[in-house]
Amino acid sequence: MKKILTIFTILLLVSCKQEKKSDYTPVRGLITDKAMVVSARQEASKIGNDILKKGGNAFDAMAATELALAVSYPYAGNLGGGGFMVYRKNNGDIGAVDYREKAPLAATKDMYLDEEGNVIPGKSTLGAMAVGVPGTVAGVFAVHEKFGTLPIQEILTPVIELAKKGVFVTEKQEKRIAAKQEDFSKANKDSIIFMKAWKQGDTIRYPALAKTLERILENGRDEFYKGETAKTLAKFIQDNGGIVTEEDLAKYQVRWRDPVTFTYDDLRIISMSPPSSGGICLAQILKMIEPYDLDKFGHNTTKTIQVITEAERRAYADRSFYLGDPDFVDIPNKELISDDYLKNRMSSFTFDKATLSSDVSYGNVQVVESNETTHYSIVDQFGNAISTTTTINGAFGSKLYCSELGFFLNNEMDDFSSKPGVPNMFGLIGAEANSIAPEKRMLSSMTPTIVEKDGKLLMSVGTPGGSTIITSVLQTILNVHEFGMTMQDAVNAPRFHHQWLPDVVMMEPNSFPEELIKELTTKGYTINQENSPVIGKVDGILVLDDGKLEGGADRRGDDTAVGF
Ligand code: DON
């Protein structure tokens, strides 16, 4: 939306918004007075919320929720993966922690290629060779050490109890487990707990995971990286043909990073910086669409979809070329999100017809010398907010499950570019900036984001969904800001996605009118409604005008908001 509006246009916009509101019956999510946790499982949200109720802050609750998801949501919650957290403290201080997995010391650029230089199917996705050095335990302890207020025992005890007591299988979980059982057999030498025919209503207990967590409680972070757990883990990965060593684990460190910050209209957006592409791509897309009056065009109309799609196309082309681990490559951060650069990038766009991705490459940036996942949002009773996305990459990661320790290992190595121009499991293409090197972090799309308005906290939001993460976060922010939706409606609304290559607009099926699809097709857009039954699974918290909190827990999963 244009920054300078005449009084006339303001009046017009207000009347448009009111008109829209008349045929829009908002659905609100959970409303609470002070504090809230929204995550992929009710058990995890409850444990996080209990920590807040005990007087813990958002950072204590982060540690509890992250670990409770490792127990209750093995599909993506993890000890064997990594993630990113963006925070905003009640005094306005912001920051981010990167506990992303790293390539093992023995990793090489061509490790997933055969002798002819072709990518070996499955090698970066299934089994021990796909595993990056996990960062989650380090992340949780780093956050707790820096900002936590409750003893770690109070945080870990309910999580250990949950692992012992077990977790109820939901209808969606039953399907997810059944769908991956063939892969579990391929990736594991021995039978694993998830090979049983679990049914909705069953309870899965995790005694091995409870023991691992008990050792972590006793010995701290180093139990995972230097203790008995590290020894068992490294041996297990190597026995299964992988290359992660005790040295890799011992060397793992989190990185505190400065988040990407930028404005959109009167919002200030704080999101994850590299090695996630999330913040930079989100900034690029939002800044490219800012000059257009989306609220006048309307939600999910042809014009709105066109503008967003074209901005996404251009941002993802840049992502593929410029972005990687900032500890290894120079990233032209400032240039990539500068107004001049982005204005120029959109200059080839017209409403008449689609730009072809084959006509779009990465932009020409003047480089000044100097490069299955789950999300949860927490706001505490003190006004601190965190936004965390954590992952083992694919559903149940590499499918390799360490029964002795009780958790799945990630297949995050697939987020590297195994070979320039060859897409990874999300169809994303990469270049040198995201090539494999020992100890390098693989590029991510995770976009944990916090939004401020008028200098105050407005929203904490994020989602899983691989390459669609960025565009799902984007649409959720726009749904609230441009289209006046409640947090719950913003999260539930149908989503679409474009990522430069392949040159298709992915749409959630049965969610967009035929007429609109026809119109877009006529303009040269290729629409695909088959490949993505679900785009993103967004969880967020919105601060309402009266200071209360509204939770948005995505209808697409078992996501739940709990608060007080
Ligand atoms: O870091 C990334 O971008 C991916 N590993 C995220 C994977 C993901 O979201 C899978 N969930 N659907």
Side-chain angles (χ1 to χ4, degrees):
M1 208 174 76
K2 285 195 180 69
K3 270 184 193 147
I4 304 159
L5 293 170
T6 58
I7 291 186
F8 173 73
T9 32
I10 292 172
L11 287 175
L12 198 74
L13 287 180
V14 169
S15 69
C16 280
K17 276 194 168 155
Q18 278 166 353
E19 248 173 55
K20 254 181 273 148
K21 273 182 187 150
S22 61
D23 58 0
Y24 162 55
T25 320
V27 174
R28 283 271 178 212
L30 176 74
I31 308 272
T32 65
D33 289 331
K34 291 185 186 150
M36 192 180 289
V37 181
V38 191
S39 84
R41 282 288 302 216
Q42 184 260 338
E43 295 83 351
S45 298
K46 183 175 178 315
I47 284 181
N49 184 61
D50 287 349
I51 289 292
L52 296 178
K53 269 194 175 158
K54 272 186 167 179
N57 64 18
F59 303 99
D60 295 310
M62 176 273 178
T65 308
E66 176 90 21
L67 295 173
L69 282 166
V71 175
S72 58
Y73 195 59
Y75 185 69
N78 66 83
L79 296 192
F84 300 104
M85 180 192 86
V86 170
Y87 67 84
R88 181 188 184 278
K89 289 169 69 180
N90 53 8
N91 63 2
D93 286 355
I94 59 166
V97 64
D98 157 2
Y99 55 99
R100 181 72 162 164
E101 298 92 323
K102 289 172 64 173
L105 286 159
T108 59
K109 192 168 168 173
D110 297 339
M111 64 190 276
Y112 298 117
L113 305 185
D114 64 16
E115 277 158 17
E116 271 100 60
N118 297 317
V119 173
I120 303 165
K123 197 169 178 188
S124 66
T125 53
L126 193 73
M129 275 303 282
V131 180
V133 184
T136 296
V137 174
V140 164
F141 274 82
V143 168
H144 180 257
E145 234 170 74
K146 191 160 175 154
F147 296 122
T149 54
L150 293 183
I152 195 75
Q153 185 163 12
E154 288 203 35
I155 290 164
L156 269 162
T157 302
V159 179
I160 294 168
E161 272 166 21
L162 179 68
K164 285 183 182 162
K165 193 177 83 193
V167 182
F168 161 91
V169 177
T170 66
E171 187 188 347
K172 290 190 172 93
Q173 195 182 7
E174 175 190 322
K175 289 197 185 116
R176 282 190 212 116
I177 294 174
K180 297 295 172 198
Q181 283 184 328
E182 218 180 295
D183 282 345
F184 296 152
S185 314
K186 281 189 205 153
N188 292 279
K189 289 187 196 162
D190 302 319
S191 173
I192 66 165
I193 191 173
F194 294 97
M195 285 179 193
K196 246 184 87 177
W198 294 104
K199 293 278 167 251
Q200 180 183 1
D202 289 348
T203 295
I204 311 184
R205 291 187 180 80
Y206 300 99
L209 182 54
K211 282 212 178 85
T212 302
L213 290 166
E214 275 170 348
R215 281 196 310 278
I216 292 174
L217 173 56
E218 204 172 306
N219 304 320
R221 168 212 187 273
D222 278 356
E223 168 60 30
F224 191 90
Y225 291 97
K226 295 177 181 164
E228 184 192 326
T229 305
K231 287 190 176 57
T232 308
L233 183 57
K235 183 169 183 315
F236 173 77
I237 295 173
Q238 287 166 35
D239 284 351
N240 280 279
I243 56 171
V244 174
T245 61
E246 282 183 47
E247 189 186 358
D248 280 313
L249 291 164
K251 285 188 88 168
Y252 187 86
Q253 295 294 339
V254 304
R255 289 261 190 278
W256 291 92
R257 309 244 184 226
D258 290 331
V260 172
T261 57
F262 59 97
T263 58
Y264 176 84
D265 290 349
D266 55 351
L267 305 180
R268 177 177 180 238
I269 295 172
I270 304 149
S271 191
M272 193 59 215
S273 46
S276 180
S277 60
I280 288 188
C281 285
L282 185 66
Q284 286 195 305
I285 300 167
L286 280 171
K287 288 209 146 295
M288 281 190 265
I289 65 182
E290 194 176 28
Y292 299 89
D293 289 335
L294 293 197
D295 61 344
K296 271 206 224 152
F297 300 162
H299 177 247
N300 282 354
T301 57
T302 302
K303 277 181 126 179
T304 294
I305 292 176
Q306 276 191 278
V307 172
I308 294 176
T309 296
E310 294 299 345
E312 289 174 353
R313 185 196 308 281
R314 287 155 177 84
Y316 276 80
D318 280 354
R319 177 196 193 280
S320 73
F321 184 77
Y322 286 111
L323 303 187
D325 182 348
D327 296 342
F328 283 72
V329 288
D330 288 332
I331 301 173
N333 287 329
K334 284 208 182 83
E335 293 78 1
L336 282 171
I337 63 174
S338 79
D339 290 339
D340 285 351
Y341 172 69
L342 293 170
K343 197 171 156 212
N344 188 35
R345 205 89 175 100
M346 274 301 260
S347 61
S348 54
F349 163 63
T350 102
F351 280 107
D352 300 339
K353 65 175 184 11
T355 311
L356 294 177
S357 285
S358 51
D359 293 340
V360 174
S361 179
Y362 54 88
N364 191 3
V365 165
Q366 292 294 318
V367 182
V368 183
E369 202 47 48
S370 56
N371 174 1
E372 284 218 85
T373 308
T374 187
H375 174 84
Y376 54 94
S377 284
I378 301 177
V379 175
D380 71 19
Q381 62 277 32
F382 313 110
N384 304 301
I386 65 105
S387 177
T388 305
T389 314
T390 177
T391 188
I392 40 177
N393 198 22
F396 305 102
S398 63
K399 322 298 187 263
L400 181 65
Y401 185 79
C402 181
S403 296
E404 196 177 339
L405 298 174
F407 57 85
F408 280 105
L409 275 311
N410 68 81
N411 58 353
E412 219 73 58
M413 291 295 285
D414 189 63
D415 274 347
F416 279 117
S417 171
S418 294
K419 184 181 175 181
V422 177
N424 74 356
M425 65 188 251
F426 299 110
L428 289 167
I429 289 171
E432 189 52 37
N434 189 31
S435 64
I436 306 171
E439 297 204 76
K440 191 172 172 184
R441 284 157 148 92
M442 53 297 279
L443 183 62
S444 173
S445 301
M446 292 191 280
T447 315
T449 299
I450 290 177
V451 183
E452 277 179 7
K453 190 173 182 172
D454 303 326
K456 291 194 202 121
L457 175 69
L458 179 70
M459 193 191 296
S460 164
V461 64
T463 181
S467 55
T468 67
I469 289 176
I470 302 163
T471 55
S472 298
V473 168
L474 168 98
Q475 287 168 76
T476 309
I477 295 171
L478 292 175
N479 287 348
V480 171
H481 177 72
E482 293 283 1
F483 307 117
M485 291 188 200
T486 65
M487 190 74 236
Q488 188 59 54
D489 284 333
V491 154
N492 281 351
R495 289 191 277 266
F496 62 94
H497 169 77
H498 194 287
Q499 60 179 48
W500 177 48
L501 294 173
D503 192 351
V504 290
V505 185
M506 280 161 47
M507 286 183 163
E508 290 183 312
N510 311 316
S511 308
F512 292 83
E514 269 314 305
E515 195 50 40
L516 173 113
I517 289 165
K518 245 194 239 156
E519 230 176 334
L520 286 166
T521 310
T522 314
K523 287 178 186 287
Y525 293 92
T526 305
I527 309 292
N528 180 320
Q529 296 184 87
E530 278 90 58
N531 288 359
S532 303
V534 154
I535 296 181
K537 202 156 69 62
V538 180
D539 284 339
I541 301 173
L542 180 70
V543 182
L544 303 175
D545 289 345
D546 61 4
K548 290 189 180 181
L549 306 175
E550 182 197 350
D554 204 319
R555 63 177 164 92
R556 294 163 181 85
D558 295 319
D559 303 45
T560 312
V562 179
F564 60 91

